Every structure is written in structure tokens, then in C-alpha cells.
Amino acid sequence: MASVDCQESAATEAEIRSFFESAPPLKNSAEVGRNLDEFIARNSSPCGDGRANRVVCVTSGGTTVPLEQRCVRYIDNFSSGHRGASSTEYFLKSGYAVIFLYRRGTCQPFCQSIPDDPFLECFEFVDKSQAKVQEQHAIAVMRAINDHRAAVENGLLLKLPFTTIFEYLQMLQMIALSMNKLGPYGMFYLAAAVSDFFVPWQSMAEHKIQSGSGPLDMRLVQVPKMLAVLRKEWAPLAYCISFKLETDKKILLEKADMALAKYKMHVVVANELLTRKEEVVVVTHNEKISVFRDKSRNDSDVEDPLIQLLAGKHGTYLASLPKMK
Ligand code: 9Z3
């Protein structure tokens, strides 16, 4: 069995402070704050017998690492956002209000049945100034529009796109501090593929790096692991689920156990790159539960049984707490 050393260390307070102090400020933080406060106020009213609405922050897609301040080149990753978008649909079906923090341009909830390039494939011209959905896509498109509209009206906050690691972590901090008031009825489902290394803003070239003068040597530093500070300071009562991705099956579960213990997560969902759409392993302090996609159906996905299991675990956790006054 391959052994893994404990390279991942929880970030120190100084590293976290330095990251946020030196990051380029969010361009629309006032609007993000307003949207968050309004959404949480609307979705945190107690629903009687001392219970409250459950609100989950789903993070989705991959963060980029810019190499120049006036960004021409950046480091990206494989994440398509499918896990986050699909999970959002199932959380909504399970009665959660969802804050969807997603990478611009990646999978969106309720859009899976729409062809990848809708404007070329879904529509046809009626005349020079009007277009309509082509017959063979009409049912899928109308369902997507109806589901999307109902979700946004009833409990899906979509207006939180990110691109860079700087935007992602600043928005995650804002969301966590806003969700703090929900206590244990708030959940984090951290499915975004977060960069492990980045170029600090101050040491980043301002302009496009000139080529033609030989190899490019760059030194990237570790992104401070924010899971621990999220659990300890930002939203200490929230129910936290992180994901552990590996390509080597032999170290996956050990790394998931390490993440669970080091960052005090309630659950770590372990998944391997090549089989991530077929199987995940739900890891807690005393269980490892494999969850599989139902292969007998073409339209099934692994997120369906996964979210059912996690919503159930969240319910058990809530039931174990002393009744809220
Ligand atoms: C995951 O492991 C997600 O399941 C995937 C989903 C990114 C694999 P897709 O977006 O893929 O559907 O294409 N996300 C978390 C990966 C990650 O960055 N984990 C961090 C780590 O392993 C913890 S936050 O350290």
C-alpha cells in the first residue's frame, strides 16, 4: 500500500491573513453581500417545531491561477462542474435552499439535457427576426427553463460566479460568514476543484510575460487550506462535506481519512478521477460507504443516491443536537 506523508497542513492564521490581504479585491463584493443577505433572510425562517430551513452552499467547477495580473495565461484544472450542478438539483429536490458558487462557463443546474451548443443545435429561424426551439429539443429545453425558473424563485441563488482562486476564496469566506447565522442548518458541499498552488498577487508580473528569452521559471506557493478556518471560525456550527480527489486509488481512502481528521469535516467524499461519475466513497469517522451510479439506467447519475445519503446524515446530525430554543 502506497504510504502518504502528511504534507497537507492546515494553514496558519498568518498565511490566511496574508492571502486575503494581498488578493485583488472582489469587484462586486457589495452586490454579492446584498444577494447573500437577502437570500439567507428569505430561506432561514423557522419552519415550526424548532426546526429551520436547511441551506447548502454547493461549490462547483475549478479555480484558475493567473500568471500575470493583466491575465493572458493561467493554470486551470479538469473540473467540468457536473458534480456541483447535478448535486444542486438533488439538494433542491431534497428540500434544501442552495447557494451555488460556480466557475463561470461550467455546468449549470437543469441544463444537462440541453445539447452542449444550444444556439447552434436547439434553435431554428422562424423568420429574419425570430427563432424558435427545434421540435426535437423542445421538451428538454422547456423542462430546463421551467425547472430553472422554479428553482430560482424558490430557493436557488445562482449569481455567484468565480474564475480565479482569489475570487473563489473571497466569495467562500463571504458565504460562510453569512451562513453562520443558520447554525447547524447550514451545510457546505465543497465540490469545487480548488487550486493547491498559486502565484501571490504582489510577486505576479503585471504585464504579459515576454517569450523568446528562454525557459520560464516560476515559483508557485501553496494555497492556504481554508477548510480548517471555515470549520473553526467562519461557520463553526455548519455541517461540512469536502471532497478528496486522487488519481491513485491506493492512497485515496487514506488521504480522505487524513482530510476528515485534519480539517474536522463531518464527511469527506472520496473520488478517483477516472471513475468519479460512477462511484464515490462517503467517509465519516466511523464508516466508509461506497455509492454507485445505477448502471441499469442511462439517465442515472451518482449524485442522486449520494445526495439522498448526505441529506439523511445531515438529518441524523440535526436530530442529535439539543433542541434549538
Ligand atoms: C471533487 O473531488 C469533485 O468530485 C470533482 C468533480 C472536481 C472531481 P466535475 O466537476 O468533477 O464533475 O468534473 N472536488 C474536490 C477536489 C478538490 O479540490 N479537493 C481538495 C483536495 O483534494 C479539497 S477542497 O485537497
Side-chain angles (χ1 to χ4, degrees):
M1 156 95 91
S3 71
V4 287
D5 51 11
C6 303
Q7 286 159 345
E8 283 183 10
S9 59
T12 63
E13 282 185 33
E15 287 165 337
I16 291 169
R17 195 171 42 252
S18 156
F19 178 90
F20 285 112
E21 282 169 357
S22 60
L26 270 181
K27 291 192 177 68
N28 60 343
S29 60
E31 185 193 353
V32 169
R34 272 196 309 277
N35 287 331
L36 274 175
D37 292 344
E38 189 275 323
F39 183 81
I40 287 176
R42 192 154 38 91
N43 287 284
S44 57
S45 50
C47 41
D49 62 29
R51 291 181 309 118
N53 278 345
R54 299 188 198 181
V55 179
V56 58
C57 169
V58 174
T59 69
S60 180
T63 59
T64 66
V65 171
L67 300 185
E68 302 118 341
Q69 291 184 359
R70 300 189 194 200
C71 191
V72 169
R73 302 178 183 87
Y74 55 83
I75 299 172
D76 201 350
N77 65 53
F78 69 93
S79 176
S80 66
H82 177 272
R83 177 84 81 224
S86 176
S87 303
T88 293
E89 293 181 38
Y90 292 113
F91 274 120
L92 288 162
K93 284 181 188 146
S94 301
Y96 282 78
V98 181
I99 296 171
F100 188 54
L101 175 60
Y102 66 96
R103 165 68 184 279
R104 284 183 185 83
T106 56
C107 294
Q108 290 295 297
F110 309 112
C111 293
Q112 295 183 64
S113 54
I114 295 180
D116 282 348
D117 199 343
F119 289 98
L120 296 181
E121 296 178 24
C122 277
F123 295 93
E124 62 190 4
F125 282 111
V126 174
D127 57 36
K128 282 204 176 53
S129 62
Q130 286 183 74
K132 72 179 176 73
V133 177
Q134 285 188 13
E135 209 50 48
Q136 72 263 34
H137 298 303
I139 294 172
V141 171
M142 296 315 286
R143 185 186 312 124
I145 293 171
N146 286 331
D147 291 348
H148 183 276
R149 181 173 298 155
V152 169
E153 281 164 8
N154 295 321
L156 170 59
L157 180 59
L158 276 181
K159 306 171 194 165
L160 299 171
F162 66 84
T163 300
T164 70
I165 181 67
F166 300 112
E167 291 174 322
Y168 172 79
L169 288 178
Q170 290 181 83
M171 292 168 89
L172 181 65
Q173 183 185 39
M174 285 184 76
I175 293 167
L177 294 174
S178 293
M179 284 180 67
N180 195 11
K181 60 180 76 74
L182 298 168
Y185 287 87
M187 177 198 273
F188 287 88
Y189 180 87
L190 302 168
V194 183
S195 319
D196 288 318
F197 304 99
F198 79 115
V199 180
W201 191 256
Q202 304 95 325
S203 59
M204 197 188 295
E206 179 186 355
H207 292 285
K208 173 178 169 274
I209 297 167
Q210 295 309 302
S211 57
S213 50
L216 172 61
D217 291 328
M218 291 196 97
R219 182 174 171 73
L220 277 67
V221 300
Q222 272 204 294
V223 174
K225 277 283 179 194
M226 301 292 179
L227 297 178
V229 71
L230 189 154
R231 267 299 277 132
K232 213 165 52 182
E233 292 174 27
W234 298 348
L237 297 177
Y239 191 75
C240 284
I241 299 166
S242 70
F243 280 72
K244 173 50 72 182
L245 174 86
E246 295 295 343
T247 54
D248 179 353
K249 201 176 178 65
K250 294 192 291 300
I251 66 170
L252 176 60
L253 294 182
E254 197 177 346
K255 293 278 277 193
D257 280 331
M258 269 172 49
L260 191 77
K262 200 168 290 302
Y263 306 119
K264 301 193 176 18
M265 293 288 114
H266 294 96
V267 176
V268 174
V269 179
N271 56 171
E272 201 207 320
L273 182 64
L274 297 182
T275 59
R276 69 185 191 271
K277 292 183 185 292
E278 297 302 320
E279 174 191 0
V280 297
V281 181
V282 171
V283 178
T284 65
H285 68 283
N286 61 356
E287 288 175 299
K288 285 187 173 56
I289 305 167
S290 291
V291 179
F292 299 93
R293 184 181 73 82
D294 175 359
K295 290 187 168 61
S296 67
R297 288 175 31 222
N298 289 333
D299 62 348
S300 66
D301 45 32
V302 72
E303 288 81 16
D304 188 354
L306 173 61
I307 300 316
Q308 283 183 50
L309 177 61
L310 295 176
K313 284 191 171 298
H314 188 201
T316 305
Y317 172 73
L318 290 170
S320 72
L321 299 173
K323 284 288 161 276
M324 286 173 76
K325 295 282 176 281

